[in-house]
Amino acid sequence: MVSNKKTAIYVRVSSQMQVDNGVSLDAQEQELVDFCLKNNKDYILYKDKGKSAKNINRTALQQLLEDVKNKKIDTVIVWKLSRLSRNVRDFANLLYLFQQNDVAFISYNEKINTAEASGKLLMYVLSIVAEIERDMDSGNTCMKMKIGICSRTC
């Protein structure tokens, strides 16, 4: 029996600066689409532009999670773990949801696949690193505000 389930490609950037100086949505999308095409995987694309990964309150991510619950997805792939979450608790809950619905999770850039035991361990370690990076970035932004080179409020 052929499965109608698809691979969910999730891409996200949190700021215009990331679009300009980081890995843009288009660059993330292109690499992940190429991966799916090389591996003969049908896919659905989910994009969140200008959304922080400090929580899961993102429109495209919520649609992806609904599709997971409705058994439309068998794999979720992101360009890098931090594109999905920068919060350890959220990441653990997402991974648990994926596991409960027999959905594999792949972090393309870090070459990690939760179908392997070592991949699960590394995912949790990297989720902690992503949260620490977010905390440090937030602190750096607040410091820039205090010295007058940033317009964001803390």
Side-chain angles (χ1 to χ4, degrees), residues 9-67:
I9 294 175
Y10 180 74
V11 296
R12 178 194 68 80
V13 294
S14 58
S15 68
Q16 186 61 42
M17 187 173 77
Q18 266 188 313
V19 172
D20 296 338
N21 301 321
V23 179
S24 71
L25 286 171
D26 292 338
Q28 292 175 50
E29 179 182 340
Q30 188 60 56
E31 283 198 56
L32 299 179
V33 166
D34 287 349
F35 172 85
C36 287
L37 294 175
K38 275 187 215 172
N39 291 282
N40 296 318
K41 293 180 176 284
D42 291 329
Y43 62 89
I44 302 172
L45 180 64
Y46 303 84
K47 282 187 185 185
D48 276 318
K49 182 178 181 180
K51 301 291 184 180
S52 171
K54 67 182 177 183
N55 60 48
I56 61 170
N57 299 329
R58 292 170 260 149
T59 305
L61 179 60
Q62 289 301 313
Q63 182 60 57
L64 183 156
L65 298 177
E66 194 63 32
D67 289 349

Side-chain angles (χ1 to χ4, degrees), residues 17 54 86 127-145 152 154:
M17 187 173 77
K54 67 182 177 183
R86 287 185 176 265
S127 73
I128 293 168
V129 170
E131 184 172 320
I132 291 168
E133 286 176 342
R134 184 203 61 184
D135 291 346
M136 290 173 62
D137 288 346
S138 179
N140 290 342
T141 301
C142 288
M143 180 58 72
K144 289 176 184 175
M145 285 182 48
R152 195 181 115 196
C154 289

Side-chain angles (χ1 to χ4, degrees), residues 3-10 32 35-36 39-46 64-65 67-68 71-78 84 95 98-99 101-108 112-115 123:
S3 172
N4 290 330
K5 292 184 178 183
K6 298 188 185 313
T7 295
I9 294 175
Y10 180 74
L32 299 179
F35 172 85
C36 287
N39 291 282
N40 296 318
K41 293 180 176 284
D42 291 329
Y43 62 89
I44 302 172
L45 180 64
Y46 303 84
L64 183 156
L65 298 177
D67 289 349
V68 165
K71 309 293 186 198
K72 295 179 182 179
I73 304 296
D74 63 6
T75 305
V76 173
I77 184 169
V78 295
L84 181 66
L95 197 55
F98 297 159
Q99 290 169 343
N101 288 280
D102 296 319
V103 173
F105 179 71
I106 299 171
S107 177
Y108 177 81
I112 301 169
N113 185 341
T114 60
M123 284 289 184

